[in-house]
Every structure is written in C-alpha cells, then in structure tokens.
Amino acid sequence: MSDSQPQQPFQSPRSGRGEGGGHGPAHGPSQSPSRGRSHLPDDDRDRDRDQSGGRVESDGRGQSGGRGQSQSPGRNPGPGLDDGRHHSRSQSRFQGPSADPAHAHGRAHSPDRGHAPAAEATTLLLAGARLTDGRTVDVRLSGGRIQAVGTAGSLPAPALSRVDLGGYLLLPAPAEPHAHGDTALTADGEGPVSYTPDEVQRRATEAALLQLGHGATAVRSHVRIGDVHGLGPMEAVLQARRSLRGLTDLTTVAVPRLLTGVAGADGLAMLRDAVKMGASVIGGCPDLDPDPTGFLEAVLELADEHGCPVDLHTDGDDPGRLARLAAMAGGLRPGVSIGPCGGLSRLPLDVAARAADQLAAAGVRVTCLPQGDCAALERRGLRTAPVRLLRAAGVRVTAGSGALRDAGNPVGRGDPLEAAYLLASQGGLRPGEAYDAVSAAAREAMGLPEVRVEAGFPAELLAVRGDRIAGVLSLAYSRIVIHRGRVVARTSAVREYCDSAVAVALDLPRQGRTEPGP
C-alpha cells in the first residue's frame, strides 16, 4: 500500500485586495522589540489577534454557543473513512475555499476588521483521542482554540460536531519551514518551466494543499524574485496565500539572486518592493553572490529596517563564512534561520563543532532538509546537516521538506512526518525529538504561537492512526488535519488481506469485514 498524496482540483482563487504582510515573530515577555517596532509572526500581524482574545473555558461544563458544524448534515463526522470499502488506497477530503463565506463572495478575510473567519465560531468535539502521555481524552475546540481537555466521555457536544478519534494519536500539527511553492510540481513537465502568474499560483496552491493533507497547517514558501520574472512569482504566491485563508497559513520569503555590485542594485530595489507587497521574510543565498558578506549585510540591514525575520540558503561548508554570519546576525530580532547546511557534515568534526557553537551563541536557527536539498543552492548535497552535533551545541534545529517534485528533488513528497522519520531513522534522534523538529521547533522558527493539546492553546492539530509517536512515524497513513478549530483535510488508508488462515489467526483486517483494521 502506498501513502498516496491527496489531490484537490485547482480552483483559480478570486482576486482580492493586497495585504500588508506584518513582519517578524512574536516576542515573549523577556524580549524587547528593537527600535519600538511591533514584531509578530511571519503571516500577517492581525492573524493571531483572532486567536489571542476570548475567555478559555476549561471546566468541561458545556459549550460556548457556536452553532456551526464541521461536517455537512448526513455525513459521518468521524474519521470513519476506514470502513472496509476502500482497498489499498488513500483518500483525502478538503473543505475548500467555497466552504468559507468570504471566499464565496470573492474576498479574503480581514481579521483586523474585528471578526474572525466564520469557521472559527464552530464548536467541535474530538472524542476518544490518545495523547502522547498515554491518556485517552476528549478535546473540545471553539473559536480557533482548544477550549477544554477532559477524560473520555466528559465533554458533551452536538452530535454533528463530534469527530471520533478512537485509534488515533492527537498531536500538535506540523509546520513547514522550508518550501518552494513557485517551483513545486515542475519535475514532470516538458520543456521550460512556465512562470506565468496563473501557473505559479496554481502550483503554489496545489503544493500548499498537498502539504496540508500531510498535516502542515502553516507553510513558509521561498520565492525567487528578479531575473526575467521580476516580482511576478511573488505576486502569484501572495495571491495563492489569500485564496488559502482559512485552510492553511502560507507565508512568503523573498529570495533575490544578487544584492551587490551593479547587478545587485536592481535586486536590492526589487527586494524592498517585495517586502512592501507582503513578503514577510527576507531570504536569499549569499553563497551565490560574488560578495557573500556584502549580500548578508544588505539582507540584515533591510530586515532590521522592516522588522522582518531572515531565512537564508547556505550549504554551510565554509566555516569562516558561518563565523561571519554568526557575528553579524547575533543582535538581529526577530531572528535568523539558515539551511540546509549539509556542508557542515563534510567538515572535520572539531571545525563543525566550533561553527555550531558560534551559531548557538548568536541564536541562529538551522533548518535541515532530511529528504534532500532544494534547487536554490544550484547543487545537490549528499548529506543532511549534523543534527545531533548542532543540538548538542544548543542550536535550535528544525526540519523542512525542501523540494516538492521539482528540479531539486523530482520525487519530493513535502511530508513533514517523512522528514521526522528520516531524522529518527538516520539522524539519531528519538521519535519524539524528531517530531518536535517538524512541529514545535518549526512553529517557533516561523514565529507562530506554541501549540499543546491543552486548554487555551491554538487548535492546530494532527490526528494520525496509531498510539505512539514511533508507530506514527513508521506508518503514518490515515490522518485528520485541524486548522483554526475545524477539520480541513482527511487522508484515509485501508489495508486488507485475503481471507486466509494466517490472516484469521493473527486477526488481521480482511476483505469483506466492515470494521476498520488496526
């Protein structure tokens, strides 16, 4: 059986008004924004305004009065797609933009106008979910947040807003810190890749939906600007972002090629324009500029000016260059991420350890790509970053998917659980640590609020059939994805065997039996 990727027919998103695109991750009480600027998550500043207000009811004494349901009347609201009727295949269902009243009228939601998307008013009960600590609980969601967590059967909810998660492990949803939506899904095309706005928008939308089906409810997409395409790809990905509002949070990183010399002047001007358009992160690849230090200086200066985070591509094979980056980036808030840094694994151990210490001291995060490098470096790395060495030095490490079926990785799947599986199977991390790299650590790197399966936290969740993290990373087929408190994607996979004596003896799921398998 293959864990096939969910598919969604592309609907051309309706045009909408441009967004401001707020900049920088949120600071906790111990951090002070430099120069008095407001630093909020990668997505727009107003998004978390929807999630930060409101009283959290955690006593299990009823519901908050939302009357919307996450499923249409007459449809089984639980994850009962494993019903014995679908043999050796996967299914996925999306609640597309048409389910959102604002999309039905051709406009994007504007949380700063004092209202959240309609879906966030829904009260939803997740019944019988297993947690990583072994408890089986009910979880009630309302207003885009976890309202209450109680023992199984203790939290009532209307029948049509109940999702049965028996047999599922409930986890904080992954986030994708390193995607390339503008080039995704181009590996199988014939001839030159098209960068018309419609094509880029289609690819970026479909890629984000594929990753949503895998569980990533937030995606940071690096978008190349300049060259002959100018700002066209950035405009297209920003339009995809608007069309996906309410389904997934898509943010953009502006990636110029050159920023120094005569040729770099145009790149720097275009980078400024990209930030004004709504790119919320500044990126690039200093290794490809004739003056890597000058490139880095230009990026950090612009990021400090606008209060943007920085996310740079580097192979990490030059310890001197890494030392300069650490020295220059140390004081920048809201922070700097680099990746994929596979070149660190090719350095002598003592040299790599010294570089890791410098990155840790400067607070520079590293985003590794266990599934393979992306095309932005214009070369293919053979090794991933030395994750254990970096973590031992105190570097905050997250993991991304990188290429999704483009020139960088023609078979890339964009699956965060596969990245976690590779960190556990080849990177030497424990399963829980590996999952943290694609969930909590990824969200932190992207400036997103922390998620725990506890009352008061954002309802960004992933339910995967299984009972332990290790099993989930090994056989993560059936998944239910929850974003802002509603089910936005389901993937159901059923494996059945012929009705043989050995299948009967082992009580394996068999064809013709209606109950779901283990």
Side-chain angles (χ1 to χ4, degrees):
M1 180 189 68
S2 65
D3 186 11
S4 63
Q5 293 182 336
Q7 297 294 327
Q8 161 87 352
F10 174 71
Q11 297 177 351
S12 179
R14 300 168 179 85
S15 61
R17 299 175 66 179
E19 301 174 30
H23 311 299
H27 286 289
S30 63
Q31 294 175 314
S32 301
S34 62
R35 301 185 184 179
R37 287 185 297 271
S38 173
H39 298 290
L40 292 178
D42 291 346
D43 202 353
D44 38 7
R45 283 192 177 101
D46 45 35
R47 184 191 62 206
D48 289 321
R49 203 174 301 166
D50 301 340
Q51 301 177 338
S52 61
R55 180 180 176 186
V56 175
E57 297 292 337
S58 57
D59 56 4
R61 293 180 297 172
Q63 298 159 31
S64 61
R67 64 182 179 88
Q69 281 87 30
S70 65
Q71 300 292 329
S72 301
R75 179 182 295 176
N76 178 10
L81 298 174
D82 295 353
D83 58 1
R85 292 174 296 173
H86 313 293
H87 306 310
S88 299
R89 70 176 184 267
S90 298
Q91 286 191 349
S92 182
R93 298 179 182 177
F94 290 97
Q95 294 181 346
S98 60
D100 189 327
H103 285 290
H105 293 84
R107 66 182 183 273
H109 286 295
S110 298
D112 58 340
R113 293 183 180 177
H115 64 275
E120 293 192 3
T122 300
T123 297
L124 182 67
L125 182 70
L126 309 178
R130 185 180 178 92
L131 303 184
T132 55
D133 61 10
R135 290 182 294 152
T136 299
V137 299
D138 288 353
V139 180
R140 189 167 63 227
L141 314 178
S142 184
R145 304 188 79 84
I146 298 173
Q147 186 186 65
V149 178
T151 56
S154 67
L155 302 178
L160 290 179
S161 62
R162 173 189 172 96
V163 176
D164 182 7
L165 290 185
Y168 280 72
L169 186 68
L170 187 62
L171 302 163
E176 174 53 67
H178 193 117
H180 287 267
D182 56 336
T183 60
L185 309 172
T186 57
D188 297 331
E190 296 182 2
V193 174
S194 171
Y195 282 92
T196 64
D198 285 349
E199 275 298 301
V200 174
Q201 183 181 338
R202 181 192 64 79
R203 292 196 297 260
T205 303
E206 185 176 354
L209 289 175
L210 287 169
Q211 291 175 299
L212 176 66
H214 290 315
T217 62
V219 176
R220 177 185 277 187
S221 181
H222 293 251
V223 181
R224 179 67 65 85
I225 62 173
D227 300 327
V228 297
H229 308 298
L231 291 170
M234 177 60 69
E235 278 189 74
V237 178
L238 287 172
Q239 182 60 36
R241 169 192 169 187
R242 288 187 283 270
S243 76
L244 291 164
R245 182 76 62 86
L247 286 175
T248 184
D249 292 329
L250 175 63
T251 60
T252 55
V253 185
V255 181
R257 181 175 177 82
L258 300 175
L259 291 181
T260 66
V262 176
D266 289 340
L268 186 57
M270 198 164 293
L271 182 57
R272 290 182 178 277
D273 288 341
V275 173
K276 292 176 183 177
M277 287 171 57
S280 52
V281 187
I282 296 177
C285 185
D287 299 355
L288 299 181
D289 194 283
D291 180 3
T293 301
F295 186 104
L296 183 59
E297 288 175 346
V299 164
L300 295 177
E301 181 179 348
L302 187 60
D304 187 57
E305 177 184 337
H306 289 274
C308 296
V310 171
D311 195 339
L312 297 170
H313 287 77
T314 181
D315 188 50
D317 59 352
D318 186 329
R321 193 173 295 167
L322 288 177
R324 287 191 294 274
L325 185 152
M328 296 168 65
L332 182 71
R333 294 292 183 269
V336 175
S337 297
I338 61 173
C341 293
L344 271 173
S345 295
R346 301 190 294 272
L347 296 176
L349 182 59
D350 60 329
V351 176
R354 186 162 55 252
D357 290 339
Q358 293 166 338
L359 294 175
V364 175
R365 297 179 179 88
V366 170
T367 300
C368 67
L369 302 178
Q371 293 144 307
D373 281 347
C374 59
L377 291 175
E378 300 186 1
R379 57 179 170 177
R380 296 292 299 275
L382 300 178
R383 304 181 67 177
T384 190
V387 174
R388 292 182 64 186
L389 180 147
L390 290 165
R391 285 169 54 91
V395 177
R396 288 170 287 181
V397 178
T398 184
S401 299
L404 199 170
R405 300 211 305 266
D406 65 14
N409 185 352
V411 295
R413 298 177 60 237
D415 186 349
L417 268 62
E418 183 180 50
Y421 158 79
L422 291 169
L423 287 179
S425 64
Q426 300 179 18
L429 299 190
R430 296 183 180 92
E433 295 171 337
Y435 187 77
D436 181 81
V438 301
S439 55
R443 291 185 64 86
E444 180 190 18
M446 296 166 66
L448 298 169
E450 182 182 12
V451 174
R452 299 181 193 171
V453 188
E454 298 176 13
F457 284 87
E460 303 290 320
L461 302 168
L462 172 65
V464 186
R465 184 170 288 282
D467 58 3
R468 292 179 176 82
I469 286 284
V472 160
L473 297 187
S474 175
L475 296 170
Y477 297 126
S478 295
R479 311 182 192 187
I480 298 174
V481 186
I482 296 166
H483 174 56
R484 297 192 181 186
R486 68 168 182 154
V487 175
V488 290
R490 300 178 184 224
T491 300
S492 179
V494 178
R495 173 177 289 159
E496 295 182 331
Y497 297 89
C498 64
D499 198 3
S500 63
V502 65
V504 171
L506 295 176
D507 195 28
L508 297 175
R510 301 188 298 282
Q511 297 177 24
R513 288 175 52 176
T514 58
E515 64 269 24

